[in-house]
Amino acid sequence: MTPAELARAVVGAVRRAVEAGELDVPVPDVAAVKVTRARGAGRGEYATGIALRLAGPAGLPARTVAERVARHLTAT
């Protein structure tokens, strides 16, 4: 999976979390989701700061946002 494909998957996961009522945030555009190699990555791991960006608007800790998005991402 490329970083661009992963960014689309993350946006889709955010959208599904919003639709499920788990998050109350605007769904970001794909261009706004930056996916980079995780520090010290040697096995293809990627990272995104989307949970940190959405935590404030959601009124939730970033970890909670990340967990809710991750549930929908793993279903992709």
Side-chain angles (χ1 to χ4, degrees), residues 2-41:
T2 67
E5 292 168 331
L6 187 52
R8 285 190 296 275
V10 168
V11 169
V14 171
R15 182 176 294 110
R16 287 187 295 280
V18 168
E19 290 171 352
E22 297 174 23
L23 292 175
D24 185 15
V25 296
V27 177
D29 293 329
V30 173
V33 178
K34 183 174 180 170
V35 176
T36 59
R37 286 244 186 227
R39 291 184 188 165

Side-chain angles (χ1 to χ4, degrees), residues 38-69:
R39 291 184 188 165
R43 293 174 288 245
E45 296 97 356
Y46 291 96
T48 181
I50 196 66
L52 292 172
R53 289 189 41 223
L54 296 178
L60 297 167
R63 182 181 179 122
T64 301
V65 173
E67 289 168 347
R68 292 177 185 186
V69 171

